[in-house]
Each structure stands twice: as C-alpha cells, then as structure tokens.
Amino acid sequence: MTIKRSSYLVLLLLIVVGVVYIKTAIDLNGGTISDIGAGFFPIILGSLLIILCVVSFIQSVLKTNDKKLDLPNLPLILITIGISALFIISWNWFGYFYISLVVYLLALMTVFYKEELRNKSRLLKNILLSLFITGLIYFVFDYLLGLRLT
C-alpha cells in the first residue's frame, strides 16, 4: 500500500467518524448561538474534523511524490485495534468500566510485552500497573471530578 492510498483511507474513515459524531451531537440538542446547548461545541468540533479532512484530502491529491508504506508491526496494530474494539463493546454491553479497563490494560500489556512474559515478575508488574492506572482514573474521575464512569 502506498502512503497516498493509506492517507485516503484514514481520511475517509475520519470523515465517517466526524459524520457520526455530528449526528450524535445533533441528538444532544445543539441549541443556538444565544442559547448554547450540550451539542453545540461537539457539532463545531465534528464540522472542523470534516473540513480539515477534506483539506488534507485535497493536499494529498495534489502531492506528486508517493512512496510505498512499510508496516512492519501490522499484526500488532491489528491486535491492538481488535482489543480496543472489544473493550468498547464490553463497556457498552456490560457496563463495569473499571473492570473492563483492568482487563483491557492487562491484555494490551500482555500483547506488547509477550517476549518478557516468561518471567513471572513481568506478569505481576502488568497486573499491578493495570490496577494502578485504573485506580488513578477512578480517583481523578469519580473522586475529584465527580463523574461516575459505569
């Protein structure tokens, strides 16, 4: 795959994300300039995302040089995307954000440090780090900000 073709693919994906984001923001009631609603700024952000993607798309079309894109870690990238998708799905279906987050972080660390997993201390470090990061997120969002993540 070439760099231009991959740019087109990513930009198209981001435009779709922008459209979905705007659709969701419209459902939040955007309001008006004098009476700003919950969806007002997300609509602006989604619109900016789409506009900037179109500008970048035009810039990519106008570029004359194109190189082959090397992705030596493509399997690792695809595994990470799959684990992230499973995390989002499990959080939406079952709730329990913090339990899903611990499992998600542990799975990612296991994938990224698979060569070192023969050492039992690495597995223990992964577990403790997953618990620590989840605890830190709990402290910041639930305790300090008062935002309950379920």
Side-chain angles (χ1 to χ4, degrees), residues 11-27:
L11 290 170
L12 184 63
L13 180 67
L14 284 174
I15 288 172
V16 170
V17 168
V19 169
V20 171
Y21 191 73
I22 290 173
K23 161 69 171 96
T24 305
I26 289 172
D27 292 343

Side-chain angles (χ1 to χ4, degrees), residues 97-106 127-140:
F97 172 76
Y98 296 109
I99 295 171
S100 298
L101 183 61
V102 168
V103 173
Y104 171 68
L105 292 173
L106 186 59
I127 293 170
L128 291 176
L129 190 57
S130 298
L131 290 171
F132 175 76
I133 291 171
T134 303
L136 185 64
I137 290 172
Y138 172 78
F139 177 74
V140 169

Side-chain angles (χ1 to χ4, degrees), residues 27-91:
D27 292 343
L28 290 175
N29 183 18
T32 62
I33 291 184
S34 62
D35 183 29
I36 296 175
F40 184 76
F41 289 110
I43 290 171
I44 292 173
L45 288 175
S47 302
L48 282 174
L49 177 64
I50 292 171
I51 291 168
L52 292 174
C53 284
V54 168
V55 168
S56 184
F57 191 85
I58 292 169
Q59 288 175 340
S60 295
V61 168
L62 296 177
K63 281 186 182 175
T64 56
N65 60 344
D66 196 12
K67 297 178 183 175
K68 185 177 183 328
L69 180 64
D70 267 345
L71 292 174
N73 293 325
L74 183 62
L76 190 60
I77 293 169
L78 294 176
I79 290 170
T80 302
I81 291 171
I83 291 172
S84 298
L86 287 174
F87 166 69
I88 292 169
I89 290 168
S90 70
W91 181 22

